[in-house]
Amino acid sequence: MSATPKKPAPCPICGRPAEAAFTPFCSARCADIDLGRWLSDRYVIPSEDEDDTDPPREPAE
Ligand SMILES: [Zn+2]
């Protein structure tokens, strides 16, 4: 059941037609950008409770 012709999805990064070699991106560069975003998204922890930060512990001397 394929009524619609196969249309190349636009690159999610820049919106240009995707290249088969880099699907779903248009180039290795955009794929790299997406990967970087994904990674930073994983590692960056949203600090929603900023006013609940632990007070810096002073070194007991
Ligand atoms: Zn692109």
Side-chain angles (χ1 to χ4, degrees):
M1 203 168 125
S2 51
T4 47
K6 206 174 181 183
K7 219 193 282 182
C11 173
I13 302 299
C14 67
R16 280 152 69 178
E19 284 289 328
F22 305 107
T23 304
F25 309 101
C26 71
S27 63
R29 191 178 173 179
C30 280
D32 209 50
I33 291 170
D34 185 76
L35 182 68
R37 282 187 185 175
W38 188 81
L39 287 176
S40 61
D41 220 47
R42 268 194 73 169
Y43 288 117
V44 171
I45 300 162
S47 48
E48 284 175 21
D49 38 17
E50 265 181 43
D51 42 32
D52 193 38
T53 47
D54 293 320
R57 290 188 182 181
E58 292 171 16
E61 196 138 339

